[in-house]
Amino acid sequence: MGELCVRSVLVTGANRGLGLGLVQHLLGLPKPPQWLFATCRDPKGQRAQELQNLASKHHNLVILPLEVANPTSIKAAAAKVGEHLGGSGLNLLINNAGIVKITLLENETLEDMTEIYTTNTVGPLLMGQAFLPLLKKAAQGSPGSGLSCSKAAIVNISSIGGSIASFSAWEMIQASSYRCSKAALNMLTKCQSLAYKEHGILCLALHPGWVQTDLGSSGGHTPPVTVDASVKGMLKVLSSISEKDTGTFLDWEGKVVPW
């Protein structure tokens, strides 16, 4: 199985955790992207220091401010990406930014549910809409038929926590608002796959595993999967998926996750 080979990639929530890991591994590929856009809320802040260090060493890495819950911020980022790409499009959009609040079902609030749903579900919806022209342009400019991440793709980083069929680890972490947002994200991915297939765009929901990140550890338990292992696995999956996989829900090892 070959390495992922893609001309341009955008990763949201790229200043830490899985997002930063994806950026690091994409830069380390034998054929790294010609353009790698890493977005986060505050690119000049202390929490983005590692990302800034990478950008100083890699001319193909562009850091952009982006708040996925803010339509104005998304449109501004899309315009900037379009300027950098010139006449070419964006091949791969990875919607990685996400939040969780650990609480019992009886303590869930309107405010928390709305905030989490806006970031985890509405954000990827708005990102897909704003970057659709650039994704369509990439698909039109790619030779050959079929769908792939090298051509044009939206990858939504989901979670097995959003699987109604499996309902993993309820006894350890309820996090109902997070689970609901990811279940909705899975449906959004399916809707995107149906709506965008005619434009040559592949859409996939991807479970990264229970990973050792701030988000993954927020329930007070130590996750079994390292960022390094998760990212390597996800990039391997992205290198191999094709038209038959659009609209599906896979994990970091390429296994189908039950809806």
Side-chain angles (χ1 to χ4, degrees):
M1 190 180 297
E3 296 274 359
L4 181 67
C5 185
V6 57
R7 183 176 181 273
S8 57
V9 185
L10 186 145
V11 182
T12 65
N15 61 311
R16 60 194 176 113
L18 283 173
L20 181 61
L22 282 163
V23 169
Q24 290 168 330
H25 279 268
L26 284 164
L27 288 171
L29 289 174
K31 289 185 179 179
Q34 186 176 333
W35 291 101
L36 177 53
F37 301 98
T39 77
C40 59
R41 288 177 179 174
D42 182 12
K44 295 181 180 176
Q46 191 57 42
R47 299 181 86 178
Q49 189 60 54
E50 206 163 342
L51 202 54
Q52 295 168 27
N53 294 343
L54 281 172
S56 68
K57 300 169 189 170
H58 299 273
H59 70 276
N60 56 332
L61 176 59
V62 178
I63 307 175
L64 294 173
L66 175 61
E67 169 52 71
V68 297
N70 184 323
T72 303
S73 174
I74 291 172
K75 288 175 184 173
K80 280 286 185 189
V81 170
E83 287 174 19
H84 282 287
L85 291 173
S88 61
L90 178 69
N91 298 105
L92 178 56
L93 168 61
I94 302 179
N95 287 313
N96 165 74
I99 56 173
V100 65
K101 291 189 178 180
I102 305 299
T103 187
L104 298 175
L105 181 59
E106 57 262 35
N107 297 326
E108 291 284 4
T109 64
L110 170 64
E111 291 75 20
D112 284 352
M113 176 70 91
T114 303
E115 181 187 3
I116 290 167
Y117 194 92
T118 301
T119 296
N120 294 359
T121 312
V122 182
L125 164 72
L126 298 176
M127 289 291 293
Q129 290 173 335
F131 285 89
L132 182 60
L134 290 172
L135 289 161
K136 286 165 70 173
K137 189 179 284 189
Q140 290 160 4
S142 299
S145 58
L147 306 181
S148 72
C149 288
S150 298
K151 185 174 185 179
I154 297 172
V155 174
N156 295 322
I157 302 299
S158 186
S159 168
I160 198 170
S163 166
I164 296 170
S166 116
F167 226 70
S168 172
W170 171 259
E171 296 79 12
M172 286 193 290
I173 305 170
Q174 289 193 11
S176 300
S177 54
Y178 176 79
R179 291 177 183 271
C180 290
S181 73
K182 292 299 187 179
L185 178 62
N186 293 342
M187 176 56 84
L188 171 66
T189 306
K190 186 67 176 179
C191 293
Q192 288 174 324
S193 75
L194 295 170
Y196 297 160
K197 186 175 181 180
E198 65 177 294
H199 302 306
I201 301 167
L202 185 154
C203 302
L204 182 78
L206 191 57
H207 166 53
W210 187 14
V211 188
Q212 295 168 16
T213 63
D214 290 348
L215 189 150
S217 305
S218 57
H221 304 276
T222 302
V225 183
T226 64
V227 170
D228 192 57
S230 172
V231 170
K232 282 181 180 175
M234 287 194 290
L235 292 180
K236 185 177 179 181
V237 171
L238 296 185
S239 73
S240 64
I241 56 174
S242 60
E243 191 157 337
K244 66 179 172 52
D245 302 300
T246 193
T248 60
F249 184 18
L250 304 179
D251 73 6
W252 61 291
E253 295 178 306
K255 299 171 186 169
V256 174
V257 182
W259 291 94

